[in-house]
Amino acid sequence: MRLKPWKYIVAVWMTVVISVGFLIPIPDIPILKESARNLFLHVPMWLTMSVCFAAGLYYSIRYLNNPIMKFDHKAETATQVGLIFGICGLLTGSIWARFTWGTWWTFAEPRMNLSALGMMIYVAYFVLRTAFDNPEKRAKIAAVFNVFAATTIPFLLYIIPRQLPSLHPGADGNPAFSEITAPELRYIFYPAVIGFIGLAVWLNNILNRYKTVKYLTDQQRT
């Protein structure tokens, strides 16, 4: 089975972005040093996660307004892909913390802990889905929970951390990435954001097709 042209573009795009991101010389940035290359992974992953969670929220609302199962499948898939990128964002953040703050994890850093809490809320979304056998009831309750989960993310990841003392760039008393990031890095950063979002769309496409086939198969059996 042949891939659609846009998938080849995403594959080539990501290959080039990651290769160039690790091969180009970068300026000597205080504190960050060579770990600044993580900018091409960590931040785009968080942005991609946010896009996926927003898509999950959109389809959950659509399901509540018009209970068609395909909306539930799309909401679940978008949320699933978003959670994958969120966990990868936590892992790359932990690696970055090890090389810049000297520790893999610190409970004194609010952004790290609130981000982990946000991911746990979304893990609860999938745990909740396993508690119901009836597809319609599961979809409705999951959609309501997904709306709640999505409303917590802006507060947990962006609003509250900015009000607390933090080592993280952009927090109160610390410069934002735009103030400490060399201009050369942005030429890779923005294409990386586009590439990771394209990769998320690809993953969504695969999972949606799988869920559609599984749902139709289950319907035929019943």
Side-chain angles (χ1 to χ4, degrees), residues 35-54:
S35 74
R37 297 180 191 273
N38 200 17
L39 177 71
F40 310 141
L41 302 174
H42 176 66
V43 182
M45 286 176 179
W46 280 121
L47 294 176
T48 303
M49 176 206 72
S50 299
V51 171
C52 291
F53 285 165

Side-chain angles (χ1 to χ4, degrees), residues 174-181 186:
N174 282 280
F177 272 115
S178 60
E179 299 175 50
I180 62 176
T181 302
R186 302 178 194 180

Side-chain angles (χ1 to χ4, degrees), residues 98-153:
R98 174 64 181 83
F99 287 96
T100 56
W101 303 339
T103 180
W104 295 99
W105 196 277
T106 171
F107 290 102
E109 170 50 48
R111 190 178 293 264
M112 294 183 75
N113 297 292
L114 292 174
S115 298
L117 176 60
M119 296 307 100
M120 287 190 285
I121 290 174
Y122 273 98
V123 168
Y125 166 81
F126 292 100
V127 173
L128 180 65
R129 293 186 67 91
T130 65
F132 301 93
D133 294 325
N134 183 280
E136 287 75 21
K137 186 175 183 180
R138 176 175 61 230
K140 184 175 182 179
I141 293 177
V144 173
F145 185 89
N146 205 14
V147 172
F148 157 74
T151 59
T152 66
I153 291 301

Side-chain angles (χ1 to χ4, degrees), residues 6 37 45 49 55 64 70-71 83 92 98 106 121 126 128 133 136 149 156-157 181 194 208-209 219:
W6 69 268
R37 297 180 191 273
M45 286 176 179
M49 176 206 72
L64 292 173
K70 73 173 182 179
F71 293 147
L83 182 59
T92 52
R98 174 64 181 83
T106 171
I121 290 174
F126 292 100
L128 180 65
D133 294 325
E136 287 75 21
L156 294 178
L157 270 62
T181 302
I194 296 172
N208 272 323
R209 288 164 56 193
Q219 288 294 99

